[in-house]
């Protein structure tokens, strides 16, 4: 018997903890745990026992039974009447996200039935009706539930449709990240993902945004319209229009409702005390009854003052929290917009970066193509000049040979006719010697041109690295440029150790020297000027220093930093492409791994100092 009673008490305490937990989690949006409420419920039970609850247990249970029977009647009516008749949804919904804040079918029927039954229990309708107070609560709630459901057309049961009604696999909550069945999940528009019923009940930031209905919007619009009308009336009357807040009407309405509810609860509690101490005791003296009544009235008056102050503080606190939450939501929205804008800007920047990379790649390809074209053009000009020079030497040789042949035929005829004199023999021998010398000289010159052209042309079209004599190779380059140099009166001088060799790329070196000389011919001198160009080189401890100097017009200071830039030229349309010195810079720094510096002053000429690594010295 003792064990059974203990088990019953523990079960009741646990059931009460469930009720406390559900109530306060919905009211305060916090969930300290059911163990806390279990201890709280047991503590209340012990407190009531110590206060002598058994002496008034009958009256308490009798009063509570009216509320319990009203709740049972509303619940039974909804299950056995409303659902079969289609007045309520077929399923039982429990998730906060899918329920309205209140349902007049259950709340209204239970409240009305509880009030009527409580009035009957206190003897308002007579002693005979008092005995049937519980049955009145049960029957009245059973009848009112279908009636209110018909009047409201059952639209307060479900606030919105279930997004996961057809889902069969478990879902993860976006807040606690736990896995639940679809029946315990709802879609939250604030977080944009699924949320479990517990996290939904504990969330205090959404303000039930998922249940925005036309009725709620209409109510808000009507409230705003009422406030605007009140404000307009105040403006027309000119009364306190600078003192009153537009939300004062809503604030007073909340305060009045809260004050009324708390006042009724305190009045009911004090009334229950009056009932137990005065009305339920028939032989109490009249003076004691009057004193107790006056004391209860004074206590109630004090409570009214405290309730008024507390209700106003609660309204202001709730309003402050709501304003802070709205400001926080606005800040979060601004942050989200900023994040979206930054992501969009980042995507645009990445797209621009890709476009710039593609453009840079295209420019590099175009530059490489132009540089190659410039090289081929220079090589083509070299071929044309060498061809003209060789043609001149061969023409002179052919002329000398033709003259020698003609004189030889004439001399042979004189010899056969017996008319040859000693003077004719001397003249023929002298002519033969001069013609042979001229022919041999021009043929040797042509052979020298062909040999040097062959070596330089092969070097310029090849990427191979070899050892070459620096001064000899410079002379071969100048020999190839002799057709260009002969058209001017400039002098080119080569200075340096004739035994010095360089292990490098002769083709790139030839291109560098050719471009520097052609740049001087185009930019440094006027057509009728006579200039002097010096090519010098020397071996240092780490590298070979090649110096190119001309005594031309020099470079303007504002252009000195731009001469190595691609397509920069001061002779646009006059033969300048803007790639000559750019090719020189790229060949020196990239191909030969060297350095190049330029010094120049207007009217004093230009000097290029090139440092070249010599692999023969620095392997």
């Amino acid at each position: 018997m003792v064990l059974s009673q203990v088990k019953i008490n523990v079960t009741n305490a646990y059931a009460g903890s469930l009720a406390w937990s559900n109530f306060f989690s919905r009211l305060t949006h916090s969930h300290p745990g059911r163990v806390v409420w279990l201890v709280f419920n047991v503590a209340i039970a012990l407190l009531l026992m110590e206060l002598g609850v058994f002496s008034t247990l009958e009256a308490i249970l009798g009063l509570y039974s009216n509320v319990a029977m009203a709740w049972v009647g509303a619940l039974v009516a909804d299950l056995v009447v409303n659902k079969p008749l289609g007045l309520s949804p077929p399923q039982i919904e429990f998730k906060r996200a899918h329920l309205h804040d209140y349902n007049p079918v259950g709340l209204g029927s239970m409240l009305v039935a509880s009030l009527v039954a409580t009035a009957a229990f206190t003897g308002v309708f007579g002693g005979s009706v008092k005995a049937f107070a519980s049955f009145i609560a049960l029957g009245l709630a059973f009848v009112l539930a279908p009636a209110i459901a018909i009047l409201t057309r059952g639209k307060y049961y479900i606030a919105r449709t279930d997004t996961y009604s057809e889902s069969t696999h478990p879902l993860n909550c976006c807040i606690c990240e736990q896995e639940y069945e679809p029946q315990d999940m709802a879609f939250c528009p604030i977080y944009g993902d699924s949320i479990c019923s517990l996290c939904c009940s504990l969330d205090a930031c959404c303000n039930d945004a998922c249940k925005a209905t036309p009725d709620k919007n209409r109510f808000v619009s009507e409230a705003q319209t009422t406030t605007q009308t009140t404000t307009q009336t105040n403006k027309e009357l000119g009364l306190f229009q600078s003192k009153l807040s537009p939300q004062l009407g809503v604030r007073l309405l909340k305060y009045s409702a809260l004050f009324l509810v708390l006042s009724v609860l305190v009045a009911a509690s004090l009334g229950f005390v009056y009932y137990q101490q005065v009305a339920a005791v028939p032989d109490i003296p009249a003076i004691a009854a009057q004193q107790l009544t006056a004391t209860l009235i004074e206590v109630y008056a004090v409570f009214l003052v405290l309730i008024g102050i507390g209700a106003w503080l609660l309204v202001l606190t709730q309003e402050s929290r709501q304003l802070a939450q709205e400001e926080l939501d606005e800040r979060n929205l601004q942050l989200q917009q900023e994040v979206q804008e930054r992501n969009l800007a980042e995507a645009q920047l990445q797209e621009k970066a890709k476009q710039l990379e593609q453009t840079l790649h295209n420019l590099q390809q175009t530059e490489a193509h132009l540089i190659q074209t410039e090289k081929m053009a220079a090589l083509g000009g070299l071929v044309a000049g060498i061809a003209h020079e060789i043609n001149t030497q061969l023409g002179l040789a052919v002329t000398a040979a033709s003259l020698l042949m003609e004189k030889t035929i004439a001399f042979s005829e004189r010899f056969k006719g017996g008319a040859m004199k000693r003077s004719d023999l001397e003249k023929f021998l002298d002519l033969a010697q001069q013609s042979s010398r001229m022919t041999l000289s021009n043929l040797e010159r042509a052979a020298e041109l062909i040999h040097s052209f062959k070596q330089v042309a092969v070097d310029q079209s090849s990427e191979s690295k070899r050892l070459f004599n620096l001064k000899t190779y410079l002379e071969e380059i100048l020999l190839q440029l002799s057709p260009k140099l002969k058209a001017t009166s400039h002098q080119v001088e080569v200075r340096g150790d004739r035994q010095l060799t360089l292990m490098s790329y002769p083709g790139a070196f030839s291109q560098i020297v050719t471009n520097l000389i052609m740049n001087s011919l185009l930019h440094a001198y006027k057509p009728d000027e006579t200039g002097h160009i010096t090519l010098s080189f020397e071996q240092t401890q780490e590298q070979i220093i090649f110096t190119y100097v001309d005594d031309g017009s020099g470079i303007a200071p504002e252009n000195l930093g731009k001469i190595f830039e691609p397509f920069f030229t001061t002779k646009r349309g006059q033969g300048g492409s803007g790639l000559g010195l750019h090719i020189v810079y790229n060949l020196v720094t990239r191909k030969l791994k060297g350095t190049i510096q330029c010094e120049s002053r207007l009217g004093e000429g230009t000097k290029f100092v090139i440092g070249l690594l010599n692999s023969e010295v620095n392997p």
Side-chain angles (χ1 to χ4, degrees):
M1 180 68 70
V2 174
L3 291 177
S4 299
Q5 190 63 38
V6 171
K7 180 180 179 182
I8 293 173
N9 292 334
V10 172
T11 303
N12 291 335
Y14 179 73
S17 69
L18 294 179
W20 285 112
S21 176
N22 293 334
F23 177 75
F24 278 96
S25 65
R26 186 66 186 276
L27 184 65
T28 63
H29 301 290
S30 61
H31 184 67
R34 291 175 180 172
V35 177
V36 175
W37 298 116
L38 177 63
V39 175
F40 178 72
N41 210 28
V42 173
I44 291 178
L46 293 176
L47 180 62
L48 291 176
M49 290 175 60
E50 293 298 328
L51 293 177
V53 70
F54 291 105
S55 60
T56 58
L57 186 60
E58 182 179 356
I60 293 176
L61 292 178
L63 182 63
Y64 174 73
S65 65
N66 296 323
V67 180
M69 294 302 292
W71 175 73
V72 171
L75 182 62
V76 172
D78 185 75
L79 293 175
V80 302
V81 177
N82 293 353
K83 290 190 181 301
L85 294 180
L87 300 177
S88 64
Q91 77 278 9
I92 299 176
E93 185 58 72
F94 64 93
K95 295 187 289 290
R96 168 196 172 190
H98 292 173
L99 296 175
H100 287 281
D101 293 336
Y102 63 90
N103 186 356
V105 176
L107 182 62
S109 61
M110 189 186 81
L111 183 60
V112 172
S114 298
L115 292 177
V116 174
T118 302
F121 180 77
T122 56
V124 175
F125 303 114
S128 59
V129 179
K130 178 180 179 180
F132 298 96
S134 298
F135 297 99
I136 292 174
L138 179 63
L140 189 58
F142 189 86
V143 173
L144 287 177
I148 298 176
I150 294 174
L151 292 176
T152 58
R153 298 180 181 178
K155 62 181 180 180
Y156 291 99
Y157 278 93
I158 304 297
R160 65 187 180 110
T161 58
D162 190 358
T163 308
Y164 304 116
S165 58
E166 298 181 358
S167 180
T168 57
H169 58 280
L171 302 174
N172 289 326
C173 176
C174 64
I175 304 299
C176 64
E177 299 181 353
Q178 298 295 324
E179 188 177 85
Y180 298 94
E181 294 296 326
Q183 293 78 10
D184 197 33
M185 302 295 290
F187 179 79
C188 180
I190 299 297
Y191 297 101
D193 205 346
S194 56
I195 186 173
C196 66
S197 59
L198 179 59
C199 293
C200 182
S201 298
L202 299 180
D203 189 90
C205 301
C206 67
N207 293 324
D208 289 340
C210 60
K211 295 182 288 187
T213 60
D215 292 338
K216 182 182 293 187
N217 295 335
R218 180 174 56 82
F219 176 76
V220 174
S221 300
E222 290 177 355
Q224 293 176 350
T225 303
T226 304
T227 304
Q228 294 174 358
T229 304
T230 305
T231 305
Q232 183 65 27
T233 303
N234 290 336
K235 287 183 179 180
E236 293 176 355
L237 295 176
L239 298 176
F240 311 111
Q241 62 180 15
S242 62
K243 302 294 183 180
L244 296 179
S245 172
Q247 301 296 329
L248 183 59
V250 178
R251 187 181 300 169
L252 290 176
L253 181 62
K254 292 181 179 179
Y255 171 75
S256 300
L258 183 60
F259 180 80
L260 180 61
V261 171
L262 294 178
S263 300
V264 170
L265 290 177
V266 172
S269 301
L270 295 178
F272 179 74
V273 173
Y274 176 79
Y275 174 78
Q276 293 294 323
Q277 300 296 328
V278 178
V281 181
D283 55 349
I284 186 173
I287 296 177
Q290 291 177 358
Q291 291 178 350
L292 182 58
T293 302
T295 302
L296 292 177
I297 292 175
E298 292 176 358
V299 171
Y300 184 64
V302 174
F303 271 112
L304 285 180
V305 175
L306 296 177
I307 289 172
I309 297 174
W312 186 250
L313 291 177
L314 287 175
V315 170
L316 294 180
T317 303
Q318 176 65 20
E319 184 176 346
S320 299
R321 189 187 68 82
Q322 185 174 1
L323 291 176
Q325 184 62 42
E326 290 177 357
E327 183 178 358
L328 180 61
D329 293 341
E330 185 177 357
R331 295 277 181 88
N332 290 335
L333 181 60
Q334 292 177 354
L335 290 176
Q336 291 177 359
Q337 292 177 350
E338 291 180 0
V339 170
Q340 292 178 355
E341 292 175 356
R342 290 183 180 181
N343 290 337
L344 180 61
E346 184 178 355
Q348 293 176 351
L349 288 176
Q350 291 179 353
E351 183 66 23
K352 290 292 184 182
K354 291 181 180 179
Q355 294 177 0
L356 291 176
E357 288 178 359
Q358 184 64 32
T359 303
L360 179 61
H361 179 68
N362 295 337
L363 288 176
Q364 290 175 346
Q365 287 185 337
T366 304
E367 180 182 356
H369 177 70
L370 289 175
I371 291 174
Q372 189 66 25
T373 303
E374 185 79 6
K375 290 181 179 180
M376 292 297 104
L379 185 60
L382 180 63
V383 170
I386 292 299
H388 175 73
E389 189 70 19
I390 292 175
N391 186 52
T392 301
Q393 303 299 328
L394 291 178
L396 293 175
V398 169
T399 300
S402 299
L403 179 61
L404 178 60
M405 184 177 181
E406 181 181 349
K407 296 299 182 178
T408 301
I409 294 174
F411 179 77
S412 178
E413 290 178 354
R414 285 179 179 272
F415 178 75
K416 290 179 181 180
M420 184 180 65
K421 299 178 181 179
R422 183 180 179 85
S423 57
D424 293 334
L425 179 60
E426 291 177 353
K427 290 180 179 179
F428 175 75
L429 291 175
D430 183 57
L431 178 65
Q433 186 179 5
Q434 292 180 3
S435 298
S436 299
R437 187 183 301 111
M438 182 180 295
T439 301
L440 180 61
S441 175
N442 284 284
L443 290 177
E444 288 178 349
R445 173 68 174 172
E448 184 181 359
L449 287 172
I450 292 173
H451 175 74
S452 62
F453 170 74
K454 177 182 177 182
Q455 185 61 55
V456 173
V458 169
D459 288 336
Q460 288 190 358
S461 61
S462 174
E463 299 293 335
S464 60
K465 188 176 184 180
R466 67 179 179 87
L467 182 67
F468 59 94
N469 184 278
L470 199 56
K471 190 167 186 177
T472 302
Y473 198 71
L474 284 173
E475 291 174 348
E476 291 179 354
I477 295 172
L478 294 177
L479 183 61
Q480 304 309 310
L481 294 175
S482 58
K484 294 287 185 182
L485 295 173
K486 281 184 178 181
T488 67
S489 57
H490 307 313
Q491 296 181 357
V492 182
E493 180 182 2
V494 180
R495 300 176 183 175
D497 185 4
R498 181 167 291 277
Q499 304 301 323
L500 185 60
T501 57
L502 176 64
M503 186 65 179
S504 186
Y505 297 92
F509 183 74
S510 172
Q511 186 72 41
I512 292 170
V513 175
T514 301
N515 284 12
L516 290 176
I517 293 176
M518 296 305 297
N519 185 72
S520 295
L521 296 180
L522 180 63
H523 295 279
Y525 303 105
K526 295 180 179 179
D528 56 346
E529 286 184 341
T530 299
H532 186 269
I533 299 174
T534 303
L535 309 178
S536 61
F537 54 88
E538 61 178 347
Q539 175 72 56
T540 64
Q541 185 176 0
E542 298 179 354
Q543 57 185 352
I544 291 178
I545 303 299
F546 173 73
T547 305
Y548 176 91
V549 181
D550 68 46
D551 58 353
S553 59
I555 303 173
E558 63 270 15
N559 296 331
L560 192 59
K562 305 177 183 178
I563 58 174
F564 296 125
E565 295 180 1
F567 309 109
F568 174 77
T569 180
T570 58
K571 297 287 186 179
R572 184 76 63 188
Q574 303 178 23
S577 64
L579 290 174
L581 292 182
H582 178 64
I583 294 175
V584 170
Y585 180 81
N586 285 340
L587 289 176
V588 171
T589 57
R590 297 182 183 179
K591 186 72 175 180
L592 304 183
K593 307 298 182 183
T595 59
I596 181 171
Q597 295 178 354
C598 178
E599 302 174 4
S600 180
R601 290 184 180 180
L602 284 176
E604 298 183 6
T606 303
K607 178 181 179 181
F608 290 92
V609 180
I610 300 175
L612 301 175
L613 294 177
N614 192 359
S615 300
E616 187 180 20
V617 179
N618 299 298

